[in-house]
Amino acid sequence: MLRIREAVAVEGRYDKNALSQVVDTLILETGGFQIFKDPERMALLERAARRRGLVVLTDSDGAGFVIRNRIKSAIPGEFLKHAYIPDVFGKERRKARAGKEGKLGVEGMPPQVLEQALRRCGAVFLDRDAGPLSAGLTKAALFAAGLSGGPDSGRKRLALLRELELPEHLSANGLLAVLNGCYTPEEAEAILARAGRL
């Protein structure tokens, strides 16, 4: 598996699944057009961009470009890189019919095409021996801090999400990905220590 420094913004969970088979990095979903109505999600994208850089990888159809332009208008360009997939006509296996423009999206691209798109945009590929970019927290750390698996963990997690200005619907796994992808190990440990007192 390849490692890159930047986080990657994709449209949805199927895109995220396809990309996670190619690279090991923080992959954030825009939720499609939800990005227009969700300032917390945009704030999360901006936080990731400022911390480690953000690669925007959307579908090559009109909707993908609308989403890409929304991100481009909200986050300073020095923190963004734009990866583009080619126009390939067809439909994804899980869909009954092709999309409006008849093009495959990120989820329908072969792994080598996704890797090539990341390389072309200038993503920083890391050696396997490079030190950790992230905190390396596990679900056990969230459990120990009372943020998952406990009777009051939902309330504590929601309080922490609000404090960190993250989307309230972020799951425990999503919170773990953000803590590991947007914070240094020291910052993440301090956040968990604060969470234990919520």
Side-chain angles (χ1 to χ4, degrees), residues 45-102:
L45 291 175
E46 184 170 4
R47 180 178 299 153
R50 289 182 182 278
R51 286 286 179 154
R52 55 192 293 177
L54 183 69
V55 173
V56 181
L57 178 61
T58 58
D59 295 349
S60 61
D61 60 6
F65 275 86
V66 169
I67 294 165
R68 180 184 299 275
N69 288 333
R70 171 68 179 111
I71 295 169
K72 204 162 53 170
S73 70
I75 299 174
E78 71 250 31
F79 303 115
L80 294 177
K81 293 179 180 175
H82 292 275
Y84 297 94
I85 59 171
D87 284 339
V88 176
F89 291 89
K91 74 169 193 65
E92 285 82 5
R93 277 185 275 171
R94 71 175 179 87
K95 295 181 178 177
R97 60 180 186 266
K100 186 176 179 182
E101 295 180 31

Side-chain angles (χ1 to χ4, degrees), residues 141-148 152-153 155-161 163-164 175 179 187-198:
L142 292 185
F143 179 78
L147 296 170
S148 70
D152 202 27
S153 59
R155 182 197 60 79
K156 286 184 176 184
R157 192 169 57 251
L158 183 59
L160 179 63
L161 292 173
E163 180 184 319
L164 296 176
L175 174 61
L179 290 173
E187 291 169 332
E189 291 294 334
I191 288 168
L192 287 184
R194 279 196 325 264
R197 297 187 294 271
L198 293 175

Side-chain angles (χ1 to χ4, degrees), residues 148-186:
S148 70
D152 202 27
S153 59
R155 182 197 60 79
K156 286 184 176 184
R157 192 169 57 251
L158 183 59
L160 179 63
L161 292 173
R162 286 182 178 144
E163 180 184 319
L164 296 176
E165 298 176 341
L166 294 171
E168 68 179 24
H169 297 295
L170 200 62
S171 66
N173 287 338
L175 174 61
L176 187 61
V178 169
L179 290 173
N180 281 327
C182 292
Y183 296 94
T184 65
E186 297 78 21

Side-chain angles (χ1 to χ4, degrees), residues 3-10 16 19 23-29 44-57 71 75 79-83 118 121-126 133-134 177-178 180-183:
R3 294 176 62 207
I4 64 172
R5 170 168 288 125
E6 297 85 359
V8 182
V10 295
K16 181 178 181 178
L19 190 60
V23 291
D24 179 15
T25 193
L26 176 63
I27 303 171
L28 300 168
E29 299 171 39
L44 174 56
L45 291 175
E46 184 170 4
R47 180 178 299 153
R50 289 182 182 278
R51 286 286 179 154
R52 55 192 293 177
L54 183 69
V55 173
V56 181
L57 178 61
I71 295 169
I75 299 174
F79 303 115
L80 294 177
K81 293 179 180 175
H82 292 275
L118 292 170
C121 82
V124 178
F125 284 78
L126 304 171
L133 278 174
S134 61
V178 169
N180 281 327
C182 292
Y183 296 94

